Amino acid sequence: MNKNYTFTSESVTEGHPDKVSDQISDAILDAILENDPDGRVACETLTTTDLVVISGEITTHTHPDYESIVRETVRGIGYANRKVGFHADTLKVQLFIDEQSPHIAQGIDEKNDREQGAGDQGLMFGFACKETPELMPLPIILSHRLAEQLAAVRKNGTLPWLRPDGKTQVSVEYDGFTPVKVTKIVVATQHLDMFDKFNDNENDELRFIRMNVIEHVIQPVLNNYDIDYDKNFIINGTGRFVEGGPKADTGLTGRKIIVDTYGGYARHGGGAFSGKDPSKVDRSAAYMTRYIAKNIVAAELAERCEVQLAYSIGVAEPVSVLVETFGTGKLADESLTSIVKQTFNLKPTGIIKTLDLKRPIYQPLAAYGHLGRSGLSWEKIDKVEQLKILAIKENVNG
């Protein structure tokens, strides 16, 4: 690829209504896995003005206090101001929870004569590239860092007038596969109504917000990355953003799947992550494909790599395995696909054991992306040497 183009990705803060829902669903999942690692969870959350609705299918021998989990999660995000219309102490919690369908359970329960099958049919994609130290695309990494910084300066008191809801967006100019410049940054951040401070002058209020967001959010993030950028910043493009969070917009679990993964830079199978235990391949196999792709790139067998897995409900072996390196592979994609099958256990049980997924690790992942973060099992590059050895053998035999 030798063409020039601009690619854009977005992220959202932990106070975005959909992300509030994701974090509640994953907090419930964590509470169950802590006491019942084999619990089955498919938890959906709806958030709106002073109301949280929990629904789904949950089969477990533990009995978490769902209402306390909801309130603690909401309070941790920062919704503890009675003026914002969504408060941890005053919101109502409604529960509509059933057990997992026995017809699904019979296909995925591990029996003496049969391995655990996939929890559903579907396809999952993983991706890695050399654009950043995290081996992730630059636009989504910058978008996440900006969203994290918005939350950081709100919580540490640097910009105490910020509120939890917000969005970030980063546009990057590419020359082929190489990012060369950040061309535009968009930030929308909820804030305290400061009309009185600025004598009811909306323009003065916006200038104050813009100046501080540039100084304390945008510049510190950009200064951490060695890339040119245009000072082309849009902050609160509508002028004001006082009413936000679930009061302003209904939130639902699973509506930010592109934010959760690669920012649209790689393909997506369509399945959401949050609120699902690891028997659901929507989650576990998506982590596995990232693990595979990252190790291939870290082994320098490709500059960029996308891995697809597909499953049938109740069947352990994947229906298909595909490696795509976009012309950057040191071996043919077919050879890399063969090596992947030899190296990685792609059955649901194998994935869960390899990545140690039956742990309460999920709530922190429900904001700022599930991928490209340190300390996660699917971000390890511990298969590099094995992949290199198999690549040498494949070259010799080929």
Side-chain angles (χ1 to χ4, degrees):
M1 180 182 288
N2 296 312
K3 64 178 182 177
N4 288 83
Y5 58 96
T6 299
F7 192 88
T8 302
S9 293
E10 73 159 356
S11 183
V12 297
T13 64
E14 62 207 62
H16 184 280
D18 295 328
K19 277 290 143 206
V20 174
S21 296
D22 284 344
Q23 289 166 91
I24 292 171
S25 291
D26 273 338
I28 289 171
L29 171 63
D30 281 352
I32 290 169
L33 292 179
E34 187 170 6
N35 296 302
D36 182 9
D38 294 317
R40 293 284 160 74
V41 181
C43 180
E44 310 292 343
T45 302
L46 176 147
T47 57
T48 186
T49 304
D50 261 340
L51 175 65
V52 173
V53 180
I54 307 296
S55 66
E57 296 76 47
I58 297 176
T59 303
T60 178
H61 61 64
T62 190
H63 300 283
D65 184 342
Y66 294 109
E67 185 169 327
S68 294
I69 293 168
V70 169
R71 297 190 190 283
E72 182 180 343
T73 303
V74 170
R75 187 176 294 105
I77 292 168
Y79 285 111
N81 185 322
R82 296 183 185 276
K83 297 180 180 179
V84 300
F86 189 75
H87 188 284
D89 294 331
T90 61
L91 60 82
K92 298 180 180 66
V93 179
Q94 296 181 357
L95 303 176
F96 301 92
I97 297 171
D98 291 318
E99 291 195 346
Q100 184 180 63
S101 161
H103 298 137
I104 295 175
Q106 71 183 2
I108 61 176
D109 286 341
E110 196 165 8
K111 306 293 186 183
N112 292 332
D113 60 342
R114 180 175 48 78
E115 293 182 272
Q116 177 180 327
D120 201 352
Q121 71 177 50
L123 48 142
M124 303 83 210
F125 289 94
F127 182 79
C129 63
K130 288 193 170 182
E131 294 180 17
T132 64
E134 301 91 345
L135 301 185
M136 287 282 287
L138 181 62
I140 188 63
I141 285 294
L142 286 176
S143 296
H144 285 325
R145 296 297 89 82
L146 289 166
E148 287 175 323
Q149 184 68 2
L150 275 174
V153 296
R154 167 175 62 89
K155 290 181 175 182
N156 68 22
T158 301
L159 303 181
W161 39 267
L162 289 180
R163 292 295 177 259
D165 198 358
K167 281 187 170 184
T168 60
Q169 185 173 285
V170 177
S171 300
V172 176
E173 179 185 338
Y174 282 80
D175 180 7
F177 288 140
T178 304
V180 295
K181 181 191 291 187
V182 175
T183 59
K184 189 181 291 289
I185 289 177
V186 179
V187 175
T189 181
Q190 186 187 10
H191 59 87
L192 181 70
D193 187 340
M194 297 182 285
F195 255 25
D196 290 345
K197 178 177 180 178
F198 295 98
N199 298 315
D200 296 342
N201 188 315
E202 184 174 323
N203 291 331
D204 286 350
E205 181 189 56
L206 182 58
R207 276 193 289 270
F208 172 80
I209 293 169
R210 175 182 168 83
M211 175 187 68
N212 278 280
V213 168
I214 291 173
E215 179 181 353
H216 296 288
V217 178
I218 296 177
Q219 293 289 178
V221 170
L222 288 177
N223 289 343
N224 284 331
Y225 289 82
D226 184 22
I227 188 167
D228 191 19
Y229 62 89
D230 294 329
K231 293 184 178 180
N232 190 357
F233 309 138
I234 298 175
I235 291 116
N236 285 7
T238 63
R240 306 193 83 215
F241 185 1
V242 173
E243 187 172 283
K247 183 179 187 298
D249 189 13
T250 299
L252 290 171
T253 301
R255 284 207 299 198
K256 285 291 174 281
I257 59 175
I258 300 303
V259 170
D260 287 341
T261 52
Y262 306 98
Y265 199 88
R267 285 174 282 195
H268 197 294
F273 298 161
S274 289
K276 297 178 181 178
D277 74 83
S279 74
K280 279 74 171 173
V281 285
D282 275 343
R283 174 166 231 156
S284 54
Y287 295 162
M288 190 64 168
T289 54
R290 163 64 179 172
Y291 178 53
I292 296 167
K294 185 174 183 181
N295 274 270
I296 288 173
V297 172
E300 299 187 346
L301 298 179
E303 294 289 318
R304 55 187 49 226
C305 179
E306 185 180 76
V307 177
Q308 185 201 38
L309 298 176
Y311 290 87
S312 172
I313 188 168
V315 180
E317 290 283 358
V319 172
S320 66
V321 182
L322 175 66
V323 175
E324 166 69 61
T325 60
F326 310 95
T328 70
K330 299 291 180 65
L331 302 174
D333 290 343
E334 295 82 0
S335 296
L336 285 171
T337 300
S338 175
I339 289 171
V340 164
K341 292 178 180 179
Q342 296 173 59
T343 305
F344 299 93
N345 188 333
L346 303 178
K347 298 176 183 179
T349 300
I351 293 172
I352 290 168
K353 289 180 178 177
T354 298
L355 301 180
D356 194 14
L357 296 179
K358 290 185 177 184
R359 297 176 292 141
I361 58 173
Y362 298 105
Q363 184 188 346
L365 306 179
Y368 315 119
H370 294 243
L371 311 167
R373 300 167 67 153
S374 61
L376 300 174
S377 57
W378 51 93
E379 295 296 326
K380 295 186 298 184
I381 50 173
D382 55 350
K383 298 293 185 181
V384 166
E385 293 307 316
Q386 186 176 347
L387 288 170
K388 287 181 176 179
I389 291 169
L390 288 173
I392 293 170
K393 291 180 180 178
E394 190 76 21
N395 261 332
V396 170
N397 295 333

